[in-house]
Amino acid sequence: MRICVFCASSTRIDPRHPALAALLGTEIGRRGHSLVSGGGSVSSMGAVASAVRAAGGATLGVIPQALLDLEVADQEAEELLVTETMRERKALMDDHSDAFIVLPGGIGTLEELFEIWTARTLGMHDKPIVVLDPDGVLAPVRELVSGLVESGFARPVVQDAITWTTSVADAMAAVEAPAGATATPTAEEQLEAEPS
């Protein structure tokens, strides 16, 4: 399985976040999966890629030309794709991935999360989306979306399209669940769930 991990590239974050990324990367590689990442070699992004390789897994990095210097490209990746734009970067990452795990990160990570979350909710893909957030950094995002559902701005199926976890073991179990175990609701189910 090719698992895409969306996470931080900031070097200003608490060290526990890159440490979590490294634990996840070790488990991805140990279980025989490969990694799709944003192609950076620092912070959580670099930690997850290095750990996957150290555990025997392969890594594919996708990075825009403009970020080669800012994020310090992961030159150790088995394959490093350089794009012209962020949109191209996300499209390639999505196309090369079978599942997504989201770690705490900045607005770029949130953008990636919301884009794949929206696409799954609309039935554009059925790939698992898992948030791994043991410290509750992204809890406000979950609460925001719950509020949108309660207010009628989003359908309840939005919440069914994603799995929230607090441990690496639970995150891996969620992405490795049998196909259909967390399937996207059908169009009919979505209509039935529409607030009246």
Side-chain angles (χ1 to χ4, degrees):
M1 178 182 290
R2 297 167 301 178
I3 300 174
C4 180
V5 175
F6 294 131
C7 60
S9 60
S10 171
T11 56
R12 298 181 299 276
I13 60 175
D14 189 295
R16 71 179 183 271
H17 297 298
L20 173 65
L23 288 174
L24 175 62
T26 297
E27 200 61 15
I28 289 171
R30 188 186 72 78
R31 293 180 183 224
H33 303 304
S34 61
L35 172 74
V36 177
S37 81
S41 64
V42 297
S43 190
S44 295
M45 198 181 297
V48 68
S50 295
V52 168
R53 288 191 291 269
T59 60
L60 164 66
V62 186
I63 190 167
Q65 183 69 46
L67 295 183
L68 278 175
D69 293 331
L70 288 178
E71 294 187 352
V72 189
D74 181 10
Q75 301 295 346
E76 300 300 316
E78 281 76 10
E79 188 174 3
L80 183 66
L81 305 178
V82 180
T83 65
E84 289 299 317
T85 68
M86 291 289 284
R87 290 180 186 273
E88 291 172 339
R89 177 200 217 180
K90 290 186 294 181
L92 280 176
M93 291 174 75
D94 294 355
D95 290 346
H96 283 83
S97 302
D98 301 309
F100 303 91
I101 297 179
V102 183
L103 300 177
I107 59 173
T109 302
L110 292 179
E111 179 192 22
E112 292 161 338
L113 167 60
F114 277 114
E115 185 165 325
I116 57 165
W117 192 353
T118 301
R120 182 177 166 117
T121 301
L122 295 174
M124 296 177 174
H125 72 83
D126 62 355
K127 302 172 184 180
I129 304 171
V130 178
V131 174
L132 172 55
D133 185 23
D135 297 315
V137 174
L138 298 176
V141 174
R142 188 177 188 180
E143 293 169 11
L144 171 65
V145 173
S146 293
L148 294 175
V149 170
E150 290 170 10
S151 300
F153 288 105
R155 296 183 296 258
V157 294
V158 170
Q159 295 168 304
D160 298 332
I162 192 167
T163 303
W164 297 82
T165 63
T166 57
S167 73
V168 170
D170 287 346
M172 293 303 300
V175 298
E176 293 176 335
T182 57
T184 303
T186 64
E188 291 178 357
E189 290 171 330
Q190 291 178 18
L191 288 174
E192 290 173 6
E194 185 80 40
S196 55

